[in-house]
Amino acid sequence: MSTETSVPQPRVSGVEGQPMDASDSALYATLLKEAPGGLAFFDGDLCCRRANDALADLLRVPVRDLQQRRPAEVLPEALASAFESALRTVLAEDRPLSDLDLVVPAAPSGRADDSGTVATATEERILACTWLPARGPGGERLGAVLTALDVTERRRAEEVIRRKEQRYRSLVEASAQVVWVAAPDGAVIDDAPEWRAITGQAPDDYAAGGWMAVVHPEDRPRIEAAWRECVAENQVFETNYRIRTKSGTYRHFDVRAVPIRQGDAVIEWVGANTDVTGQREAEEMRGRLTEQLSAAALRTARLQQATSMLAEALTVSQVVQVITEVGRSAIGADYSAVALLDDDKLRLSIVAPSQPGAEAEGRPPARDEIKVADQTVMSVAVRESRPFLAEHPDSLRLQLGRDEKELFAQHPEERAWVGLPLLAAGAPIGALRFSFTRPREITEEERVFLEALAGQCALAVERALLFEREHRTAEELQRSLLPSDLPQLPGMVLAARYNPATRHVQVGGDWYDVFRLPDDRLAVAVGDVMGKGVLAAAGMGRVRNALRALALNDPRPAAVLAGLDRLFSATEDEEQFTTVAYAVIDPETGRGAFSNAGHPPPLLISPDAPARVSTREPGTPLGWPSQRQQTSFSIETGNTVVFYSDGLVENRRRGVDAGLEELVATAADAPPEVVGDPERLVDFLVDRMLAGYEQVDDVTVLALHVPPKSR
């Protein structure tokens, strides 16, 4: 229904009490009918006297129901209460009331509008209302005028923006990010209170220097250069740096700043800083733990390696070699030494040689001995049976009362020292010493490793000392049992070689013997007692002495070996394995008899025929039931007979049969001048047969040569 038909036209006077002219009337009618916003006049009793269709539509109330009634009579309770509260405020205080939003609730379904049409549910509306006091020509209060605009969409858009801002702010706060803004040229344009709360900067300080002012001095040149480059190229700035906080400490931050563009131009930079100190500290902690675990694993591997290598080290010098190499590689020592106590327990004898190249560099050799009473690293470790640690020269002087350089002048560059006692059954037997050319702190884990290494070293040294004593005993015994020289005969030349195996540095049971019988014939024997060390050497001595005794009684080879069988069965262990080749030769005629108890066959070399080994059955080793046989032979003029042990032809890579074939081939390759000289021949055979192979067994060679008779 239009305003003209529903509302009587008012009688309002014009200026100075004159009746309203036609233009005023037209303006009034147009505003009520065509204005996009709602208009209404309320009297002093809060009754609506005039309202336009726009307001009625906004309030979802027909104009006829709205006019001549108070809001409480036609509007929902909450909306009516807000209406009347605003009206009372304007009327009571005689002042405008603006920027007041009123919410029109949604219209329920099924309600008919003023045309009789049933409306469906409609969303609520938000009205921006302004209330103005209305006065008459004389200034008297007549009521209040309402203007209302539908701002529903705008308010909803503002709410969406507000919620986005809240979500962004919450996200920034939750992620511990600090946001800052810079001008297109990188200069500071806005304050950053959150940033200043971290750094302690005053607003003026931040405005002058910005975030760059609190970057760590070591990081600043790098950051300034990167920031200038990104600003010049309008590229994303992404890096990390340390920031000085208000407490004076530094924290790690990751930063990312992006250029904000309007068209093709950059209008500002927005950056976000994230505190990653905890993450960096965790990474550093993980790194340190990883390093510690790696170091511990390396030390464990080194200790296992030392244990394995020490199992094969039989001499003290070999033990020292292993210990010093493992210790240096595990803790980075520059120098090392091992000293052993003398029998009187008053002196330490240095076992380790001077460092490689020491003589070439002009350094004096290491001292041979140290008194246990001296103030040295190793002396203190031995006297007190505990590790001695000096992390720098001042610590050394404080503990010793003087500089150890006075005693060890060969390494004046030493700056840190470790001394460890070598204990066997709780008693010191020596000391282990490491030194460094720089101050060095030994950690608790390294100390445990070094003490374990010293324990392994002590056990290995003790075992090596026992071995060396046994070795010396066996060596002396074997040397006493082998002939000091060979008989000199006019019609026969003899030469012998004995090469002990070097792998285990032990004497074995190989032996040879040549002696004159009462009838001037020559007795020749070569034997091999299974085993190494004192037991093998003692067994060799028993067999050799028994053979001599039997040969003096009945020199026939078969009789001698039969007698050895009886002796062997009566006195030797059943598991003992001993072989013997025995011959009796007339040096004037070269004729003789030969018997073999399981020994390799002799090699025959002749200038007129190919070299060969005897094909006769070698027989069984001593002590095994057997009928001993002997054969006759003759060494012709210019020929040579070579007796040898199995170490010459057999090793891990070459079997006996292959070795015998190779021995025959080697002898065939010998030049005539070598064949005619037994001394050169035995060397030739040993060198050629052992070339390219690891010697794991003793090698014995005995050659008998009948030279051509001079004309």
Side-chain angles (χ1 to χ4, degrees):
M1 181 179 292
S2 67
T3 304
E4 291 83 357
T5 59
S6 63
V7 181
Q9 296 293 329
R11 296 179 180 179
V12 180
S13 298
V15 180
E16 295 181 357
Q18 298 299 323
M20 187 167 56
D21 58 18
S23 61
D24 292 338
S25 178
L27 176 61
Y28 174 76
T30 300
L31 286 174
L32 288 179
K33 184 175 179 61
E34 303 297 338
L39 296 173
F41 173 75
F42 293 86
D43 60 19
D45 295 329
L46 310 184
C47 182
C48 178
R49 295 298 183 181
R50 297 287 186 272
N52 66 351
D53 290 343
L55 180 63
D57 182 61
L58 292 174
L59 297 176
R60 299 193 183 99
V61 177
V63 171
R64 62 174 177 272
D65 294 343
L66 185 61
Q67 295 186 140
Q68 308 306 319
R69 293 182 181 178
R70 294 180 58 175
E73 298 178 56
V74 294
L75 298 178
E77 181 179 355
L79 180 60
S81 175
F83 254 74
E84 293 188 357
S85 176
L87 282 171
R88 291 191 182 93
T89 299
V90 172
L91 295 174
E93 299 179 6
D94 192 24
R95 64 177 180 82
L97 186 62
S98 59
D99 297 329
L100 179 65
D101 287 354
L102 298 180
V103 179
V104 179
S109 300
R111 179 178 176 179
D113 59 15
D114 55 355
S115 64
T117 303
V118 177
T120 59
T122 307
E123 295 181 351
E124 67 179 19
R125 289 175 177 173
I126 302 174
L127 306 181
C129 300
T130 300
W131 309 82
L132 302 171
R135 293 183 176 81
E140 66 278 12
R141 298 181 185 178
L142 299 180
V145 174
L146 166 67
T147 63
L149 294 176
D150 187 350
V151 293
T152 303
E153 296 302 323
R154 187 173 69 186
R155 291 293 187 265
R156 287 176 179 171
E158 291 173 350
E159 178 65 17
V160 170
I161 294 174
R162 185 184 65 80
R163 289 181 180 177
K164 287 183 178 180
E165 290 177 348
Q166 287 180 340
R167 285 195 295 268
Y168 173 74
R169 187 177 297 108
S170 299
L171 180 62
V172 170
E173 292 175 354
S175 62
Q177 288 185 323
V178 180
V179 179
W180 47 270
V181 181
D185 61 357
V188 173
I189 55 175
D190 286 338
D191 190 19
E194 296 88 353
W195 178 256
R196 291 191 296 102
I198 296 172
T199 64
Q201 293 173 283
D204 293 341
D205 296 334
Y206 181 76
W211 56 269
M212 191 72 71
V214 290
V215 174
H216 195 288
E218 295 178 359
D219 299 341
R220 191 174 301 166
R222 170 178 62 87
I223 299 304
E224 286 181 343
W227 176 234
R228 285 195 300 268
E229 181 180 354
C230 289
V231 169
E233 301 293 335
N234 293 331
Q235 297 176 346
V236 173
F237 175 66
E238 190 167 12
T239 186
N240 56 78
Y241 45 62
R242 290 167 289 176
I243 292 297
R244 187 186 67 248
T245 66
K246 59 184 178 182
S247 65
T249 60
Y250 284 90
R251 298 187 68 82
H252 293 271
F253 278 81
D254 283 349
V255 61
R256 178 180 172 85
V258 296
I260 306 301
R261 302 177 185 272
Q262 193 172 63
D264 294 333
V266 174
I267 59 174
E268 65 180 8
W269 288 78
V270 176
N273 285 32
T274 305
D275 189 338
V276 294
T277 304
Q279 176 183 341
R280 288 296 180 86
E281 291 176 348
E283 291 175 353
E284 292 176 359
M285 178 62 72
R286 284 196 297 270
R288 287 194 296 270
L289 289 175
T290 300
E291 290 179 358
Q292 292 174 0
L293 290 174
S294 298
L298 177 61
R299 287 191 293 270
T300 300
R302 293 294 189 191
L303 194 58
Q304 292 174 343
Q305 179 189 20
T307 303
S308 176
M309 295 171 66
L310 287 172
E312 298 186 5
L314 297 180
T315 66
V316 174
S317 60
Q318 290 175 341
V319 171
V320 171
Q321 179 90 13
V322 171
I323 290 298
T324 54
E325 288 181 2
V326 173
R328 289 185 205 173
S329 61
I331 63 172
D334 297 294
Y335 303 107
S336 61
V338 173
L340 299 180
L341 274 173
D342 291 345
D343 293 338
D344 58 7
K345 307 298 183 183
L346 297 178
R347 293 180 178 275
L348 288 164
S349 298
I350 302 295
V351 177
S354 58
Q355 301 299 322
E359 297 179 2
E361 297 175 9
R363 294 203 303 263
R367 281 183 58 131
D368 292 333
E369 292 184 345
I370 307 170
K371 293 181 180 179
V372 174
D374 285 342
Q375 285 297 92
T376 70
V377 169
M378 288 194 284
S379 298
V380 173
V382 169
R383 286 201 310 268
E384 301 182 8
S385 296
R386 65 171 180 82
F388 177 94
L389 305 177
E391 300 171 354
H392 46 76
D394 290 340
S395 174
L396 182 72
R397 283 188 286 270
L398 181 64
Q399 296 185 70
L400 298 183
R402 59 173 173 168
D403 198 333
E404 200 190 43
K405 295 175 186 176
E406 300 173 12
L407 297 173
F408 286 91
Q410 72 272 21
H411 303 309
E413 65 273 23
E414 292 178 351
R415 293 294 180 271
W417 299 263
V418 177
L420 299 153
L422 301 180
L423 304 176
I429 61 173
L432 175 62
R433 179 182 184 273
F434 294 105
S435 59
F436 307 83
T437 57
R438 64 199 180 283
R440 176 71 153 80
E441 179 182 358
I442 300 298
T443 65
E444 183 62 27
E445 292 80 5
E446 290 175 329
R447 176 172 175 160
V448 171
F449 165 77
L450 289 173
E451 289 181 357
L453 183 63
Q456 292 287 342
C457 180
L459 293 175
V461 166
E462 187 179 32
R463 184 180 66 248
L465 291 172
L466 291 174
F467 167 78
E468 289 184 350
R469 283 195 290 269
E470 178 183 326
H471 174 72
R472 285 193 298 271
T473 302
E475 190 176 46
E476 292 172 359
L477 177 59
Q478 185 176 35
R479 188 180 298 113
S480 68
L481 295 176
L482 292 176
S484 58
D485 52 29
L486 297 175
Q488 300 296 321
L489 304 173
M492 185 174 293
V493 181
L494 292 82
R497 292 291 181 270
Y498 172 72
N499 278 23
T502 58
R503 175 176 173 80
H504 298 293
V505 199
Q506 282 188 297
V507 296
D510 280 20
W511 60 280
Y512 66 91
D513 197 6
V514 180
F515 56 93
R516 299 291 292 267
L517 295 169
D519 58 3
D520 289 333
R521 287 185 299 172
L522 197 65
V524 179
V526 177
D528 187 1
V529 178
M530 182 184 67
K532 300 290 183 183
V534 174
L535 293 178
M540 175 190 70
R542 288 193 296 272
V543 173
R544 175 180 176 272
N545 292 335
L547 184 143
R548 281 203 171 201
L550 291 168
L552 292 175
N553 181 53
D554 184 354
R556 292 176 303 155
V560 169
L561 293 187
L564 288 176
D565 282 334
R566 293 191 297 273
L567 177 66
F568 204 91
S569 299
T571 61
E572 301 298 325
D573 190 348
E574 293 181 357
E575 297 180 356
Q576 181 69 308
F577 188 91
T578 300
T579 64
V580 175
Y582 173 64
V584 175
I585 304 173
D586 185 346
E588 293 184 0
T589 63
R591 294 185 180 88
F594 173 74
S595 187
N596 191 350
H599 205 74
L603 172 68
L604 307 176
I605 304 176
S606 173
D608 301 326
R612 65 189 187 281
V613 294
S614 174
T615 58
R616 293 186 179 276
E617 183 66 31
T620 60
L622 293 181
W624 293 27
S626 174
Q627 182 67 37
R628 296 300 174 185
Q629 303 292 329
Q630 70 180 37
T631 59
S632 299
F633 69 93
S634 177
I635 306 177
E636 303 296 333
T637 300
N639 290 357
T640 304
V641 176
V642 180
F643 299 93
Y644 53 91
S645 63
D646 59 356
L648 184 69
V649 294
E650 183 181 19
N651 55 49
R652 289 194 177 98
R653 294 164 50 199
R654 181 175 62 194
V656 175
D657 293 339
L660 292 175
E661 292 178 1
E662 188 171 341
L663 177 62
V664 171
T666 300
D669 290 338
E673 63 272 16
V674 171
V675 174
D677 186 348
E679 292 287 348
R680 296 176 63 183
L681 178 63
V682 292
D683 289 338
F684 179 85
L685 294 176
V686 171
D687 292 342
R688 290 293 185 91
M689 291 300 294
L690 297 184
Y693 297 101
E694 179 187 11
Q695 183 182 348
V696 297
D697 198 2
D698 298 342
V699 174
T700 301
V701 180
L702 175 63
L704 287 74
H705 174 66
V706 177
K709 294 182 179 180
S710 59
R711 295 181 181 180

